[in-house]
Amino acid sequence: MNRVALITGASRGIGRGIALELAKIGFDLVINYASNLAAARQTAADCLSGPQSSQKTIRAEICPADISSQTDRQKLITFTKEKFGRLDLLVNNAGVAPESRADILEASEASFDRLININVKGPYFLTQLAAKWMIEQRRTGVPPVSSSQKIITVSSISAYTASVNRGDYCIAKAALSMLTPLYATRLAEHGINVYEIRPGIIATDMTGPVEDKYDQLIKDGLTPIQRWGSPQDVGKAVAAIALDLLPFSTGEIINVDGGFHLRRL
C-alpha cells in the first residue's frame, strides 16, 4: 500500500514542485488547489507520467478547497479518507501574498485579515484535523502504518526578514513558523514528526513581478549560492523528510534559501 500525502496549494509553484518529487518516490497524492483547475489537472498528469524511483503505480487525486474555510478544511480530510483511507504526510504549502505591496503606514486591515486567515489560521486548523486522524490511524492500526507519519509546513524567510512594503505577509509567516514547534511538542508522543521548510527566493508566479529586483540582489551577493531557488529544490527537501531520513529530528527548520540565513562579515 502506497503512503499518501496531502499537499495544499499544489497546482503551481512550490506545491507543484513538492508533488512531483513525492510522486517520484511512490507517494499517492491529494493535490489541493483553490481556483486553477487546469493547473491542478496538469500537475496530477505530470505526477503520473513523470519518472519514478520505484516500480509502484501511484494515484493523484485533485481536490478544490479554500483552507481559510472550516468547511473546506474538513472537506479535504474527508476527501482523503474517501479516496485513500489513510494519511501519512500533510504538507501545509498553500499561501498567498498581499494583493498589493503597501507600506506598513498605509496597509489595510482587509489585507491583513486575508493573509492571517489563509496563511496562518488555515494551516493551523488543518493540521489539527490531520493530526487527530493520524493519531486515530496509529491507535487502530488500520490501515497499517509502515513508518512514522509527518507534518511539514512551508513557511518563508519572511518569517524573520522585515519587508516594510508587505508587513502583513511577514507577520503571517512569523506566526506560521510557531506552528511547527507547537505541534512537534504535542505530537512526538504519538510518533508524528513535524518540520518546517523555510524557502528563500524561489522562482514562482509570486516572485515574478519582482524578478529584476531579486536578480540584482543575488548578483550583488545576497545569497552565498548565487542563483534563484526552484520549486524542485523545495520538493527535494520535502522528499528527504518523507523518506524518513531525519527520524531523530522533529520541530526542525530546514532552510532552502541558498544560504540567505547565514550572517556574514
Side-chain angles (χ1 to χ4, degrees), residues 249-265:
S249 298
T250 192
E252 197 65 49
I253 297 170
I254 311 297
N255 292 289
V256 185
D257 64 357
F260 175 86
H261 67 282
L262 298 172
R263 296 179 179 181
R264 295 172 289 160
L265 290 174

Side-chain angles (χ1 to χ4, degrees), residues 6-217:
L6 164 57
I7 311 163
T8 64
S11 62
R12 296 178 297 162
I14 288 175
R16 171 182 162 84
I18 292 169
L20 290 169
E21 293 301 317
L22 289 177
K24 288 180 184 178
I25 59 174
F27 269 75
D28 287 339
L29 305 171
V30 176
I31 295 171
N32 161 245
Y33 69 100
S35 59
N36 195 330
L37 173 59
R41 285 176 171 167
Q42 187 61 58
T43 294
D46 291 344
C47 286
L48 295 176
S49 63
Q52 294 184 26
S53 60
S54 69
Q55 300 301 313
K56 295 180 179 179
T57 298
I58 69 164
R59 294 167 55 198
E61 303 283 351
I62 61 175
C63 182
D66 174 1
I67 62 165
S68 68
S69 161
Q70 180 184 26
T71 300
D72 279 15
R73 290 192 296 270
Q74 184 60 63
K75 172 185 172 182
L76 267 176
I77 297 298
T78 301
F79 180 89
T80 306
K81 287 181 178 179
E82 291 175 348
K83 294 294 184 180
F84 296 106
R86 66 183 292 155
L87 179 62
D88 300 274
L89 172 63
L90 169 66
V91 183
N92 290 308
N93 169 74
V96 295
E99 292 177 346
S100 63
R101 293 183 174 226
D103 185 281
I104 58 174
L105 298 181
E106 305 296 334
S108 70
E109 284 193 38
S111 179
F112 186 93
D113 289 344
R114 172 175 172 266
L115 265 66
I116 291 296
N117 283 336
I118 297 173
N119 293 1
V120 183
K121 179 182 175 182
Y124 184 87
F125 285 105
L126 180 60
T127 298
Q128 182 187 77
L129 290 173
K132 287 181 177 180
W133 183 25
M134 287 178 173
I135 292 169
E136 179 66 15
Q137 289 177 79
R138 298 190 75 83
R139 185 185 68 81
T140 62
V142 180
V145 179
S146 59
S147 63
S148 64
Q149 296 149 309
K150 300 169 184 68
I151 294 168
I152 300 173
T153 297
V154 179
S155 66
S156 169
I157 57 174
S158 292
Y160 64 89
T161 304
S163 297
V164 296
N165 64 343
R166 50 180 189 141
D168 41 14
Y169 186 79
C170 294
I171 292 290
K173 291 300 183 179
L176 178 65
S177 191
M178 180 51 70
L179 182 152
T180 294
L182 285 169
Y183 276 104
T185 301
R186 182 64 180 85
L187 298 178
E189 66 180 279
H190 299 287
I192 301 169
N193 290 0
V194 185
Y195 306 87
E196 176 182 346
I197 302 290
R198 192 173 280 174
I201 301 170
I202 308 296
T204 66
D205 293 347
M206 189 181 293
T207 53
V210 287
E211 181 178 355
D212 291 343
K213 171 186 174 181
Y214 286 136
D215 278 345
Q216 189 61 50
L217 287 171

